[in-house]
Amino acid sequence: MSFTLQIGESAPDFKLPATDGNTYQLSDFDDDAVLVVFFTCNHCPYVLGSDEVTRQTVNKFAPKGVKFVGINANSKATKPDDDFEHMVARMEEHHFPWLYLRDETQQVALAYGALRTPHFYVFDQDRKLIYTGRAVDNPRETSKMTVNDLERALEEHLAGQPISVPLTNPLGCNVKWDGQDAHWMPAEACDLVY
């Protein structure tokens, strides 16, 4: 059995606090035609490098019924900058157009099988997984990217077409699981190939 959620599987439920002061669960998004759940954080250079491209994608597809929910599951013991207070500050500074939820126990990240930050999961109206992996092929330096896999998947699905590439490798930093040595992986080396 694979660690990460497989194409066709249902979105695991969650109930998590968000930086906007509300708590959200999966059923809160029942009216959205498509749900994009992505695991992200406050510090990873692959997240920071691609946030503005993600913003453009959200602004492009939100009017078409696509909801974007970012989840930070990184251990604050491993990476103190990933605590809830830093999440709130980050959203206040950048005004990102997605919800930003905190998975303190990391149980949601485990249920989804999050591998990297960022790691995207796209679910259809029935909340079946139709795409998972990276958004773009160079999230750290988006000026050098050549393909936006996330946008292609969304465009194909909204046009009623099958997803031509439903699975890609997420590119980014490892999710910082609780109990890992804070110094086990320098940020500059977090682009592990697997």
Side-chain angles (χ1 to χ4, degrees), residues 35-56:
L35 177 65
V36 179
V37 174
F38 62 106
F39 290 84
T40 184
C41 65
N42 295 334
H43 74 278
C44 172
Y46 292 81
V47 169
L48 301 181
S50 59
D51 269 338
E52 290 308 315
V53 169
T54 304
R55 184 197 299 272
Q56 293 167 16

Side-chain angles (χ1 to χ4, degrees), residues 117-191:
T117 52
H119 189 168
F120 292 81
Y121 297 80
V122 180
F123 298 94
D124 65 12
Q125 180 80 67
D126 297 323
R127 296 304 175 251
K128 301 296 186 184
L129 186 67
I130 57 173
Y131 173 82
T132 185
R134 68 192 186 187
V136 299
D137 62 345
N138 198 333
R140 188 165 182 165
E141 296 180 80
T142 50
S143 62
K144 298 179 181 177
M145 73 184 197
T146 62
V147 64
N148 191 320
D149 295 282
L150 176 61
E151 288 202 1
R152 178 178 59 207
L154 290 171
E155 286 167 353
E156 289 173 345
H157 179 67
L158 291 172
Q161 302 168 355
I163 308 300
S164 56
V165 183
L167 181 65
T168 59
N169 281 341
L171 302 173
C173 299
N174 287 353
V175 171
K176 302 300 183 280
W177 300 106
D178 204 23
Q180 284 181 342
D181 180 358
H183 304 290
W184 75 283
M185 178 68 67
E188 294 75 24
C190 65
D191 53 341

Side-chain angles (χ1 to χ4, degrees), residues 1-50:
M1 179 178 170
S2 177
F3 173 68
T4 196
L5 205 64
Q6 299 295 291
I7 298 298
E9 290 186 336
S10 298
D13 200 3
F14 55 81
K15 188 174 184 181
L16 299 172
T19 56
D20 66 2
N22 296 313
T23 296
Y24 294 92
Q25 55 192 10
L26 191 64
S27 60
D28 290 329
F29 310 109
D30 284 352
D31 293 338
D32 298 295
V34 180
L35 177 65
V36 179
V37 174
F38 62 106
F39 290 84
T40 184
C41 65
N42 295 334
H43 74 278
C44 172
Y46 292 81
V47 169
L48 301 181
S50 59

